Amino acid sequence: MKKLFVLLILPFLSCTAPKSLTAKPHSFPNPFNTKSQPINYQTKKTYLLAGVSVSNEFPAARLNDFHQEEDSVFVATISPENIPINPSPWFAFKIWSENKQDIYLKLSYTNNHKHRYHPKLSKDGESWTAMDTTLLRFNPDSTQ
């Protein structure tokens, strides 16, 4: 059984720093303390639909729901722990199947968040590569 791990990792830039750096204060326009907001816990579980398994049962995973939309189309729903939050939803889950098959995976974000970074893939959970962007389709008018 082959497992495929999906994880969103923020891109890091490497560059040579100037000789002197000065920190500049930043005033956030509308700061909001989310400590009093309810937390939207995810249910840790492994989903099995039409031979496709998906799991969020590992540290740092984020996957709030998974369902089958059509024969080979599946939807992974991502919700933030609480709101308001910056528009950078993150997700991490494992996906695999017993038999080799092609599927379409939609990432659906709640609370009008949108996809911001390209996913990275791993077959072993240690070595990560950016997903081929020719395989990605974005719907700019929705949260998928």
Side-chain angles (χ1 to χ4, degrees), residues 83-122:
I83 53 175
I85 192 167
N86 68 14
S88 300
W90 59 275
F91 59 90
F93 53 85
K94 298 175 188 177
I95 185 168
W96 69 96
S97 67
E98 292 292 328
N99 301 309
K100 186 175 180 176
Q101 60 181 306
D102 291 332
I103 67 165
Y104 297 92
L105 182 62
K106 288 183 178 183
L107 298 177
S108 179
Y109 303 103
T110 61
N111 303 99
N112 294 318
H113 291 110
K114 294 185 179 191
H115 191 76
R116 188 169 173 185
Y117 302 105
H118 295 293
K120 291 192 175 188
L121 304 174
S122 174

